[in-house]
Amino acid sequence: MNAVIPRIGVGVDVHAFSTDPERQLWVAGLLWPGQTGLVGHSDSDVAAHACADALFSAADLGDLGQHFGVDRPELAGASGTHLLAEAARIVRESGFEIGNVAVQIIGNRPKIGTRRLEAGRALSAAAGAAVSVSGTTADGLGLTGRNEGLAAIANAVVYPSRGASERSGQVPT
């Protein structure tokens, strides 16, 4: 009999705030009206990107840049939720199911707590699995504390699907 061993992955993403006042701010799958966005190839949604990276990490499938790098012009301006949905699809096609993802957004703005549940629903819909969202500040330290950008750290739990290979973490009991 085989025991199902869950796998845990971590993902981190950081983006600077744009100097372009027209750049929209997308964080955790949500548009934050009236706030200047983040610099990047896609919509720069740090929360969605960190979640995708955590999924890839847990499944030992590389990272966000490997799958959705800046060398892919068709992804210019892509939404973070699109990338997260694609990451979840790739992870599932590789023989894993997604248990859950937790992401913490680090920065002084936007105030994540005001839309935390809505953000969780948006990211959960993209991942096809439960995603919990939290926010914190950096007490004035570093780029997030100086209002120069946002960061996010995510953890994901995946487990092998039925019939997955030994590489996916199934070991005899």
Side-chain angles (χ1 to χ4, degrees):
M1 179 172 191
N2 288 337
V4 176
I5 307 297
R7 296 172 57 110
I8 299 168
V10 64
V12 175
D13 198 48
V14 180
H15 286 276
F17 283 115
S18 176
T19 56
D20 178 359
E22 300 300 312
R23 177 89 173 169
Q24 296 180 319
L25 181 62
W26 287 90
V27 177
L30 304 177
L31 175 62
W32 297 79
Q35 304 235 15
T36 303
L38 298 162
V39 176
H41 181 63
S42 66
D43 68 359
S44 306
D45 183 337
V46 294
H49 293 181
C51 290
D53 237 358
L55 289 172
F56 288 139
S57 171
D60 193 20
L61 294 173
D63 58 39
L64 193 70
Q66 177 182 339
H67 293 275
F68 309 126
V70 296
D71 60 336
R72 296 196 45 199
E74 73 275 16
L75 295 176
S79 74
T81 52
H82 171 73
L83 299 180
L84 177 55
E86 281 297 297
R89 181 189 61 75
I90 291 167
V91 164
R92 286 186 178 100
E93 285 182 356
S94 296
F96 295 94
E97 289 300 323
I98 300 168
N100 72 300
V101 181
V103 62
Q104 184 168 64
I105 302 150
I106 307 162
N108 296 328
R109 68 173 182 86
K111 299 295 184 196
I112 299 303
T114 63
R115 299 178 71 191
R116 184 181 68 77
L117 295 176
E118 183 184 2
R121 286 190 297 269
L123 294 174
S124 295
V131 178
S132 57
V133 177
S134 64
T136 192
T137 65
D139 292 328
L141 301 174
L143 75 94
T144 59
R146 292 187 303 268
N147 289 312
E148 295 171 6
L150 289 176
I153 300 172
N155 291 294
V157 175
V158 302
Y159 56 93
S161 316
R162 239 185 191 348
S165 70
E166 186 177 86
R167 177 180 179 271
S168 69
Q170 287 187 341
V171 294
T173 56

